[in-house]
Amino acid sequence: MSHRYSKHLSLIVYLTDLIVLNLSIVLVSHFYLGDSFWSNKESVFLLLVSNISWGFLSFFRKNFVVHRPLVLSNNINNFTLTLVYHIALVFCLLYISEIFDISKFVLLSHLVIFFALIIIQRSSMFFLLDYIRKKGYNHRRVLIIGKKNIAIRLKQSFKRHPEYGYDIVGYISDESLKNFTAAQLNTAVVNRRVDELYVCNLDLSSDTNGIMDFFLQNKTIIKVVSDMQFDVQKAEYLNYNELPVFRLLPHAVQSLKIRLLKRGFDLGFASSVMFCGMPVFMLIVAITKCTSKGPIFYKQQRIGRNGKPFYIYKFRSMYIDAEKMGPQLSKDNDPRITKWGRIMRKTRLDELPQFYNVFRGDMSVVGPRPERQHFIEQIIERAPQYSNLLSIKPGITSIGQVKYGYAENVDQMVERMSHDLVYLGKLKLRTDVSVIFDTVKVMVAGKGK
């Protein structure tokens, strides 16, 4: 079916983003200033600076480009990083222009609303594109050439995912291609109105019929498919003098973009919790102090990213000298836990001081739970793959903590590890948000183990 409007999609997204940007500023400013918004020089200047900043950065970062297949999290991640650059640039421009009278409420509210509206806009757009592509619209015509086994895998992938929006209009095997010339291949592409050409692991080192010239000169989108099967999150692309090389790693790759996004999210979320939850913190401090003797906080050495030790902080939930007999894991009806400590552990309130560890950079909000060296050595003896979890920062909460809970022995720690290894393959902002929502459900229900 026709896809004639696809070329306009990026422009539509770019302009829609600008409309949403301006809408968020105008809405917040009118709420704060009323009808005097347009007569307020600072607000009008903010509107102008924001449009210049976002227009430039969005065009440069190309976060308005919608790639196939549709992956909402990738698009949102790219948008979020652009938003971080936008915030920095806007503050620089405001500082240079010496405009300091703009309300922090307006700035913060505008950014929050802008981000929320963009998520709604992108989600709606991706849902609509998925729907119309499954109905047969907005498709692209695909010609596959190369090895049969790879071509079959590619066909099966397109068949399983109609939302990709691809129609296969032909297949030329690597054997048949030897009888083609560049002109004949060009004729096949033109006659079949091919939009994208998939090249499946062809060896063109002895190209005698000019096929490589076709690849170099043709304006059709050409995509190369390898016969290797591996987790792309555990691979790094290298370029050795125009020779493409994939370096496979024992753990998932965290790009600079992912690390910046995750760190920014950690700091923003931790700040919100610490600020909004201050009354709860003070209440817990008072109850802990009144219900049992001993310090309010408890610290213990744990192992962080790359095996680096650090001190983790908690609200004390046990009686003093609880581990005078050596390192022990807590269990159901543990006599070392205070009555108030049981409530805190059920609702995970004892973990709240670890947001301080997030500020220090020792931990992330979401990540595998940090363990003590004493237990790590025992876990690795039974499950060597646990060492992969040390490649990322530990977290206050994790998939393992939500799905499994506290472990009472090393065997259970190994079982919980399988959940955290799943997280290692899904290092995305969307996964972190999902784990946080699940953690809140556990806290509200008081089902913490």
Side-chain angles (χ1 to χ4, degrees):
M1 300 296 290
S2 174
H3 63 277
R4 56 184 174 173
Y5 299 112
S6 292
K7 62 182 179 181
H8 303 303
L9 182 60
S10 294
L11 178 60
I12 292 171
V13 175
Y14 181 77
L15 294 176
T16 305
D17 287 354
L18 282 174
I19 292 172
V20 172
L21 174 78
N22 286 276
L23 180 63
S24 64
I25 296 176
V26 172
L27 282 175
V28 175
S29 297
H30 266 291
F31 175 82
Y32 185 72
L33 298 171
D35 295 334
S36 62
F37 165 65
W38 295 109
S39 61
N40 186 285
K41 292 189 296 184
E42 286 77 12
S43 296
V44 174
F45 185 76
L46 172 63
L47 193 70
L48 178 63
V49 166
S50 293
N51 275 272
I52 293 173
S53 171
W54 185 261
F56 170 75
L57 289 172
S58 180
F59 182 81
F60 177 75
R61 293 274 311 155
K62 299 189 182 301
N63 60 279
F64 54 87
V65 177
V66 179
H67 297 285
R68 297 178 190 233
L70 298 173
V71 182
L72 179 61
S73 58
N74 290 347
N75 194 277
I76 293 296
N77 287 345
N78 192 21
F79 168 82
T80 305
L81 190 58
T82 306
L83 183 62
V84 171
Y85 293 147
H86 169 69
I87 294 170
L89 183 56
V90 166
F91 274 100
C92 285
L93 293 174
L94 292 177
Y95 181 80
I96 292 171
S97 59
E98 298 184 351
I99 300 293
F100 305 114
D101 296 330
I102 295 176
S103 167
K104 294 179 181 178
F105 170 81
V106 172
L107 279 173
L108 181 61
S109 300
H110 142 60
L111 293 169
V112 171
I113 292 175
F114 180 41
F115 184 74
L117 290 177
I118 286 295
I119 290 179
I120 294 172
Q121 176 240 40
R122 289 290 200 278
S123 300
S124 303
M125 178 182 66
F126 276 45
F127 176 81
L128 179 62
L129 285 173
D130 268 355
Y131 178 78
I132 64 176
R133 286 174 183 174
K134 287 177 181 178
K135 291 295 183 180
Y137 297 93
N138 192 237
H139 278 210
R140 289 185 178 172
R141 298 168 65 84
V142 170
L143 174 64
I144 302 175
I145 64 174
K147 293 190 175 181
K148 185 176 181 180
N149 61 324
I150 310 174
I152 291 174
R153 281 168 43 204
L154 196 59
K155 288 180 181 178
Q156 290 173 341
S157 178
F158 290 160
K159 186 176 181 179
R160 286 194 303 268
H161 298 281
E163 71 275 10
Y164 289 177
Y166 287 125
D167 291 329
I168 299 175
V169 297
Y171 166 66
I172 303 174
S173 68
D174 49 351
E175 291 296 325
S176 300
L177 194 64
K178 294 177 181 178
N179 300 320
F180 276 69
T181 62
Q184 290 173 326
L185 183 56
N186 183 69
T187 300
V189 168
V190 172
N191 290 345
R192 301 181 193 190
R193 294 181 287 115
V194 174
D195 301 305
E196 294 187 10
L197 183 65
Y198 280 79
V199 181
C200 299
N201 208 49
L202 281 180
D203 180 11
L204 295 174
S205 56
S206 57
D207 182 27
T208 57
N209 48 5
I211 298 298
M212 183 57 74
D213 290 336
F214 166 81
F215 292 153
L216 295 175
Q217 298 172 10
N218 196 275
K219 295 181 180 180
T220 305
I221 295 174
I222 298 174
K223 297 181 178 179
V224 179
V225 186
S226 170
D227 61 347
M228 291 185 66
Q229 298 186 57
F230 53 81
D231 185 349
V232 293
Q233 290 187 319
K234 295 183 178 180
E236 185 178 41
Y237 175 77
L238 304 174
N239 187 347
Y240 290 167
N241 192 26
E242 300 183 356
L243 177 66
V245 175
F246 283 102
R247 182 164 68 98
L248 304 185
L249 303 174
H251 52 77
V253 180
Q254 271 192 291
S255 65
L256 177 61
K257 181 183 76 172
I258 294 296
R259 293 199 300 272
L260 287 174
L261 281 173
K262 192 167 176 61
R263 184 59 179 158
F265 175 79
D266 286 343
L267 291 174
F269 188 82
S271 300
S272 301
V273 171
M274 295 290 284
F275 178 76
C276 298
M278 189 57 65
V280 177
F281 275 68
M282 299 305 294
L283 181 61
I284 295 174
V285 167
I287 297 175
T288 303
K289 191 66 177 177
C290 295
T291 53
S292 63
K293 295 180 179 180
I296 296 167
F297 299 102
Y298 171 75
K299 72 174 184 177
Q300 188 180 74
Q301 190 179 78
R302 298 289 177 97
I303 302 302
R305 185 184 180 192
N306 298 326
K308 181 181 178 182
F310 70 97
Y311 281 101
I312 193 173
Y313 294 89
K314 294 184 178 185
F315 284 120
R316 182 178 55 82
S317 61
M318 292 186 176
Y319 294 106
I320 56 175
D321 296 329
E323 288 195 325
K324 59 184 178 181
M325 303 300 292
Q328 301 176 53
L329 294 170
S330 64
K331 55 188 177 182
D332 289 337
N333 302 316
D334 195 326
R336 299 175 301 156
I337 302 175
T338 66
K339 291 181 179 180
W340 169 239
R342 294 186 195 283
I343 297 174
M344 286 198 295
R345 291 169 76 89
K346 284 286 185 182
T347 55
R348 303 283 169 82
L349 293 175
D350 62 319
E351 311 281 2
L352 289 177
Q354 289 164 41
F355 283 106
Y356 172 69
N357 289 113
V358 174
F359 276 114
R360 285 172 52 91
D362 300 323
M363 298 176 66
S364 181
V365 175
V366 178
R369 287 295 296 164
E371 302 294 351
R372 286 177 278 181
Q373 186 65 42
H374 174 79
F375 294 110
I376 288 177
E377 291 172 359
Q378 296 179 57
I379 296 172
I380 290 179
E381 282 183 7
R382 306 183 191 193
Q385 62 269 34
Y386 178 86
S387 58
N388 292 336
L389 297 180
L390 298 177
S391 65
I392 61 175
K393 285 183 182 180
I396 296 176
T397 186
S398 68
I399 293 180
Q401 196 77 348
V402 171
K403 301 291 185 183
Y404 195 90
Y406 288 108
E408 298 181 5
N409 52 56
V410 175
D411 289 334
Q412 290 185 1
M413 295 173 85
V414 171
E415 290 178 25
R416 187 176 63 186
M417 175 198 68
S418 62
H419 295 285
D420 289 327
L421 286 173
V422 171
Y423 173 76
L424 197 61
K426 298 180 179 180
L427 294 174
K428 298 178 181 178
L429 188 60
R430 181 176 60 180
T431 307
D432 282 13
V433 173
S434 176
V435 172
I436 290 171
F437 274 120
D438 289 340
T439 303
V440 172
K441 291 178 184 177
V442 170
M443 292 176 68
V444 172
K447 293 182 179 179
K449 179 183 173 184

